[in-house]
Amino acid sequence: MGRTLAEKVWDDHVVRRAEGEPDLLFIDLHLLHEVTSPQAFDGLRMNGRQVRRTDLTIATEDHNTPTLDIDKPIADPVSRTQLETLRKNCAEFGVRLHPLGDVEQGVVHVVGPQLGLTQPGTTVVCGDSHTSTHGAFGALAFGIGTSQVEHVLATQTLPLAPFRTMAVTVDGELPEGVTAKDLILAVIAQIGTGGGQGYVIEYRGSAIEKLSMESRMTICNMSIEAGARAGMIAPDQITFDYLEGRDHAPKGADWDAALEYWRTLHTDGDAVFDHEVRIDAGTLTPFVTWGTNPGQGVPLSASVPDPASFADPGDRLSAEKALEYMGLTAGQPLREVAVDTVFVGSCTNGRIEDLRAAASVVQGRKVADGVRMLVVPGSVRVALQAVHEGLDKVFTEAGAEWRHAGCSMCLGMNPDQLAPGERSASTSNRNFEGRQGKGGRTHLVSPQVAAATAVLGHLASPADLSDAPVLTEV
Amino acid sequence: MEAFTTHTGRAVPLRRGNVDTDQIIPAHWLKKVTRNGFEDGLFEAWRKDESFVLNAPERKGATVLVAGPDFGTGSSREHAVWALQNYGFKTVLSSRFADIFRGNSLKNGLLTVVLPQETIEQLWQLTEADPTAEITVDLVAREVRAEGVTAPFELDDNARWRLLEGLDDISLTLANEPDIAAFESRRPSYKPSTVRA
């Protein structure tokens, strides 16, 4: 019987397989950041261990970095200590680091792909759940805890429990104005936050094949919000074109050999998935979350659901608590929900195409009175490209704040936070209680919806802008 | 890692599903660079509400957390496991755990036990009615016991053995170092390297 893409990549990385033991897998690329690594380095020191493969390891600073005044010392001493700890650890163990201020600094899941380090058929891990992003290249990529970070540092391997396979097949054409973000929010709403538990999801079908690499990253990024171990998309010409010529992409004869291997990385015709989900892209519309987990989402044109409409008692209770926390009432049209803050950024939607999309909506328009719009590029490279294209000016002229690269308000670890009771439309990935700041309320949306919401002051899509969408190239 | 064989203790019934890791330990606690001192951050936002179950005086010293489905969703932060352990929890019972959280818990000796939702409901009712009721989680027999409840649970033999013995995964892997070296020697040259060309 044929194998799925995920099974092929898995099989190619088995270092040791023994009866009654989990497979020991080799890890091709280990990404580090300041938050989940300090205790792992401490563990190495305590046991007198080294980093086995510094040539397969790279670090950057993103979660806990400020997006303003980055030339000044970090005000919060605890945050400063955490960054200094990473710098000290990388120096001591010989790990390449791109710190705040470096041209390659940025959100770890934006940095890996743009350097060409994320490649088809590789295994990629990081102490961050959104490592699933890298699956867009046909890599088997997943988030790990700090104990596993230490394990990979010491051994370049991980013992891993077997996974099940799920196909999410999306055929048809995404309608105008409907994005990868809307698609993945719809998928999560359909299968639920636990629906992917134990599975590696492969996204396939004609609608997926048409997507750019950046849109594919948005989709794989949020696989974890459906509870999946990882998300993957088979590599194709779009993948190869994205990679060719990047700093760390193979060159010369290596490129040819890699290409030959990469072309084998697809699910065989006779392979069988453990579970299959089908979605017709043509039926999708802009999507928005109303609750406190990413599965609590509906089309923007809908109203806040009535908790009583949920058959499962757990779902009903969860919806009741969510509405209470979010300050929403059942039946309220989502388009009437006013926001205080709009956040454009994160490993989900902080790449150049996302910024272009948001800029095309706000261009020539103004952010609504009383609304704060933060635009945080995913990396310094993304920021430089945006500046080159004049997007920073488009944002600042509209009244938005143009910030330095980092995770920022996606998780509210740095000073970019919502105040209690404040409401955001956010292009990030989690709408958990307090995620963007204590008492803050988050609606997850696409960059286009975020931008239109900033202009109108309430949840909206570009189609709602009275003077008709000006979706011209910037 | 701390070994886990069997544990008996009082419980905290947490009637909530989708308890994500941002609830277990909010992000601002993640600035710490140690594995301890997270107990005050555990469920920090909910603990501000006096009626939250963890604040009830009769729940003080409880060591068994009985939670709703999809416990530990979201971020990979192992700090969530450390916070539960720092607070004093030895085991968490739920009908479904997020994968990364589960992996993290078992690597730290916090036993996460999957039980049918009906059993969770029984344990909720028992421990809500009687806060002094004890629950035994027996890894040797792979069984959860409480008054009127005897529920078997599954945990694969390898994970169980590592927990029972309190084994260090890295040492186990390094015992097979020649396998790693052999694999490395046959890796193709086109594989990515973080060293600048």
Side-chain angles (χ1 to χ4, degrees):
Chain A
M1 195 178 70
R3 293 176 300 161
T4 64
L5 166 62
E7 288 162 339
K8 288 181 181 180
V9 179
W10 180 285
D11 290 348
D12 286 347
H13 289 84
V14 175
V15 167
R16 175 184 161 85
R17 180 170 282 170
E19 185 64 30
E21 286 180 28
D23 280 355
L24 187 66
L25 253 62
F26 193 80
I27 303 302
D28 289 315
L29 179 64
H30 188 190
L31 307 164
L32 295 168
H33 62 87
E34 72 275 20
V35 174
T36 55
S37 66
Q39 298 87 349
F41 281 111
D42 276 347
L44 291 184
R45 259 189 298 269
M46 261 165 27
N47 292 287
R49 291 171 178 145
Q50 295 297 312
V51 175
R52 183 179 178 91
R53 296 294 299 265
T54 51
D55 61 329
L56 305 183
T57 311
I58 188 167
T60 189
E61 300 171 352
D62 56 3
H63 282 64
N64 197 3
T65 52
T67 58
L68 285 174
D69 301 328
I70 65 156
D71 51 333
K72 303 198 180 88
I74 294 168
D76 176 2
V78 189
S79 295
R80 195 167 62 231
T81 301
Q82 189 166 55
L83 292 171
E84 283 166 357
T85 303
L86 180 69
R87 292 169 194 177
K88 191 167 61 71
N89 285 331
C90 286
E92 180 182 338
F93 288 90
V95 172
R96 173 175 163 189
L97 167 68
H98 294 293
L100 194 61
D102 186 281
V103 72
E104 300 296 353
Q105 178 264 343
V107 180
V108 66
H109 309 308
V110 178
V111 170
Q114 79 189 8
L115 282 170
L117 283 166
T118 304
Q119 295 174 17
T122 56
T123 45
V124 181
V125 299
C126 174
D128 185 277
S129 59
H130 291 112
T131 309
S132 58
T133 310
H134 306 264
F137 291 79
L140 184 60
F142 45 90
I144 56 178
T146 297
S147 294
Q148 290 173 305
V149 170
E150 184 180 337
H151 197 117
V152 176
L153 287 173
T155 71
Q156 204 58 36
T157 64
L158 274 179
L160 291 167
F163 63 93
R164 289 174 291 171
T165 56
M166 184 190 299
V168 172
T169 305
V170 191
D171 283 318
E173 291 266 354
L174 284 174
E176 177 78 28
V178 180
T179 68
K181 183 63 164 290
D182 303 305
L183 168 56
I184 190 63
L185 285 173
V187 168
I188 300 163
Q190 182 170 333
I191 69 177
T193 55
Q197 202 248 332
Y199 289 100
V200 172
I201 298 177
E202 181 182 333
Y203 303 94
R204 54 214 306 257
S206 58
I208 300 291
E209 288 161 18
K210 284 179 212 138
L211 294 176
S212 70
M213 281 317 295
E214 298 200 354
S215 287
R216 293 179 187 185
M217 285 189 247
T218 299
I219 288 180
C220 289
N221 171 276
M222 289 193 71
S223 303
I224 183 69
E225 312 315 334
R229 294 266 294 275
M232 296 178 90
I233 294 172
D236 58 13
Q237 198 56 47
I238 291 174
T239 322
F240 310 147
D241 290 346
Y242 177 96
L243 275 166
E244 194 167 12
R246 290 191 183 262
D247 272 12
H248 291 267
K251 306 281 185 311
D254 273 346
W255 173 262
D256 296 336
L259 211 51
E260 194 181 333
Y261 172 58
W262 295 346
R263 290 191 200 282
T264 69
L265 297 172
H266 52 79
T267 292
D268 295 328
D270 57 344
V272 178
F273 288 93
D274 297 315
H275 187 65
E276 294 201 52
V277 173
R278 287 190 168 272
I279 287 179
D280 176 0
T283 62
L284 296 171
T285 58
F287 225 75
V288 55
T289 61
W290 52 268
T292 54
N293 73 58
Q296 291 175 322
V298 288
L300 175 63
S301 55
S303 298
V304 175
D306 185 345
S309 67
F310 292 93
D312 178 78
D315 289 346
R316 203 177 312 141
L317 182 67
S318 170
E320 280 167 12
K321 285 186 192 282
L323 292 197
E324 188 189 335
Y325 180 84
M326 292 295 288
L328 296 172
T329 47
Q332 189 177 357
L334 279 153
R335 277 200 164 87
E336 291 177 9
V337 175
V339 305
D340 310 283
T341 298
V342 170
F343 172 65
V344 175
S346 85
C347 57
T348 310
N349 283 127
R351 287 169 288 266
I352 191 68
E353 290 176 13
D354 302 311
L355 300 193
R356 284 178 191 146
S360 75
V361 176
V362 300
Q363 185 166 37
R365 297 189 167 105
K366 288 284 178 199
V367 172
D369 282 347
V371 173
R372 164 175 71 143
M373 181 182 190
L374 245 63
V375 183
V376 183
S379 70
V380 177
R381 291 281 182 205
V382 170
L384 290 173
Q385 180 63 30
V387 169
H388 177 70
E389 296 178 21
L391 305 184
D392 59 326
K393 293 271 189 318
V394 172
F395 287 118
T396 51
E397 280 166 14
E401 296 178 41
W402 175 252
R403 296 292 190 90
H404 189 79
C407 297
S408 178
M409 195 182 271
C410 173
L411 84 163
M413 224 181 139
N414 76 352
D416 307 337
Q417 297 184 15
L418 295 180
E422 274 188 340
R423 186 182 299 279
S424 77
S426 176
T427 67
S428 56
N429 40 58
R430 288 189 177 134
N431 51 344
F432 297 155
E433 288 181 23
R435 169 82 177 180
Q436 297 190 293
K438 210 175 287 176
R441 297 158 167 169
T442 303
H443 296 274
L444 301 177
V445 296
S446 72
Q448 286 86 335
V449 168
T453 299
V455 170
L456 290 174
H458 58 82
L459 292 173
S461 72
D464 298 326
L465 296 169
S466 54
D467 49 343
V470 212
L471 292 169
T472 49
E473 283 298 310
V474 177
Chain B
M1 178 178 78
E2 207 178 319
F4 190 108
T5 49
T6 184
H7 175 78
T8 299
R10 285 180 293 111
V12 172
L14 183 62
R15 269 194 194 263
R16 282 193 85 132
N18 265 302
V19 176
D20 59 73
T21 50
D22 279 76
Q23 304 317 314
I24 301 173
I25 187 83
H28 71 98
W29 282 87
L30 273 48
K31 297 176 183 179
K32 289 166 65 69
V33 296
T34 59
R35 284 174 179 257
N36 48 44
F38 293 98
E39 57 276 13
D40 292 339
L42 180 70
F43 300 124
E44 188 182 48
W46 294 344
R47 276 161 80 183
K48 294 208 165 31
D49 172 4
E50 275 180 28
S51 66
F52 181 55
V53 59
L54 214 61
N55 291 330
E58 63 272 22
R59 303 291 169 187
K60 201 171 156 55
T63 52
V64 180
L65 184 64
V66 187
D70 294 313
F71 187 86
T73 55
S75 143
S76 65
R77 56 187 74 164
E78 199 158 311
H79 313 67
V81 171
W82 302 332
L84 286 159
Q85 289 185 310
N86 291 168
Y87 186 85
F89 285 109
K90 302 288 183 199
T91 174
V92 185
L93 282 44
S94 167
S95 66
R96 192 160 60 187
F97 291 95
D99 275 318
I100 304 177
F101 175 82
R102 184 120 205 262
N104 289 343
S105 69
L106 298 178
K107 294 222 178 288
N108 284 272
L110 176 76
L111 181 57
T112 38
V113 178
V114 180
L115 294 171
Q117 184 57 32
E118 304 83 77
T119 310
I120 297 290
E121 184 62 45
Q122 274 181 292
L123 293 170
W124 277 342
Q125 288 178 13
L126 171 74
T127 57
E128 279 166 353
D130 177 9
T132 67
E134 289 191 320
I135 297 177
T136 295
V137 177
D138 183 344
L139 181 58
V140 182
R142 272 182 277 219
E143 197 173 79
V144 170
R145 293 183 297 271
E147 196 189 330
V149 177
T150 303
F153 64 87
E154 289 191 25
L155 186 70
D156 73 81
D157 288 339
N158 188 269
R160 175 171 169 269
W161 167 66
R162 284 181 286 129
L163 276 165
L164 287 173
E165 304 290 332
L167 295 173
D168 166 25
D169 274 5
I170 297 178
S171 301
L172 291 176
T173 296
L174 287 176
N176 297 311
E177 200 278 334
D179 291 335
I180 303 174
F183 184 95
E184 287 174 326
S185 69
R186 45 174 206 269
R187 282 181 85 229
S189 62
Y190 57 74
K191 288 283 187 176
S193 162
T194 59
V195 177
R196 284 188 187 279

